[in-house]
Amino acid sequence: MIIDTFRRLSVFIALLLVQVLVLNHVFLFGWATILLYVYFVVMFPRNYPRWAILLWSFAMGLSVDMFANTPGMAAASLTIVGFIQPYLLELFIPREAPENLRTAAATLGLSKFTVFASMLVFVHCLLFFSIETFTSFHWQHWLLSIGGSTFLTLALLIAVELVRK
């Protein structure tokens, strides 16, 4: 348990640093950015305590918010993604799968993992950019931000997953 916590904390810090130092400064075409920190929530294994998923998700979102000056946007959207992750994961794994099944392309299969990750990334981008547009609503920019960010985040997430394999 302690080793798992340290491993998860090191992934937390690594993803946070990559997001804050590199990816927050990359805007493609002025509307799409890569939100790789969602990968932290995608990686939670089956039967991981739900309270812990929510706590880790909120902590990651709050950390990103502090460094990116997005007050509560990442925390709210990532906490909701952390809430739906265990329920969505159950749809993609067989019933006879082990209780501590690791969420990865190697265990789920690339196609199932891609669909699972794309659903979580889409929900996160939808919530994140919907919260952002409370101040000024330009629906074309909103749709481009959601679509572009979802696509770019998913592409980088799958690339990291394939390298991690």
Side-chain angles (χ1 to χ4, degrees):
M1 183 68 178
I2 292 175
I3 294 173
D4 178 59
T5 303
F6 283 125
R7 185 176 294 137
R8 195 159 305 282
L9 187 61
S10 65
V11 171
F12 179 97
I13 292 170
L15 285 173
L16 180 64
L17 288 174
V18 167
Q19 183 67 43
V20 169
L21 297 176
V22 178
L23 298 177
N24 277 354
H25 304 288
V26 176
F27 292 99
L28 296 175
F29 310 112
W31 42 263
T33 187
I34 300 171
L35 305 170
L36 188 62
Y37 60 91
V38 178
Y39 185 55
F40 185 73
V41 177
V42 171
M43 289 182 1
F44 282 111
R46 181 182 189 192
N47 289 339
Y48 199 81
R50 291 192 172 125
W51 65 268
I53 294 174
L54 289 174
L55 189 63
W56 279 109
S57 300
F58 179 74
M60 175 61 91
L62 188 63
S63 300
V64 169
D65 282 336
M66 286 190 308
F67 290 108
N69 197 22
T70 55
M73 292 170 29
S77 56
L78 203 60
T79 303
I80 292 172
V81 169
F83 178 75
I84 64 172
Q85 190 267 0
Y87 300 106
L88 194 60
L89 180 61
E90 289 297 321
L91 298 175
F92 290 95
I93 56 176
R95 289 186 182 172
E96 60 275 351
E99 291 297 317
N100 59 349
L101 180 75
R102 199 173 64 102
T103 306
T107 56
L108 292 177
L110 185 60
S111 62
K112 283 185 179 181
F113 179 80
T114 302
V115 173
F116 170 69
S118 65
M119 293 173 103
L120 288 177
V121 169
F122 175 74
V123 167
H124 178 267
C125 289
L126 178 71
L127 293 169
F128 185 84
F129 291 109
S130 294
I131 293 170
E132 181 185 46
T133 59
F134 275 144
T135 57
S136 63
F137 190 77
H138 301 287
W139 65 273
Q140 295 97 346
H141 181 72
W142 177 70
L143 287 176
L144 287 172
S145 296
I146 291 171
S149 296
T150 299
F151 176 74
L152 291 173
T153 301
L154 188 62
L156 187 60
L157 190 140
I158 291 182
V160 168
E161 183 63 28
L162 291 176
V163 168
R164 196 179 88 142
K165 200 171 26 170

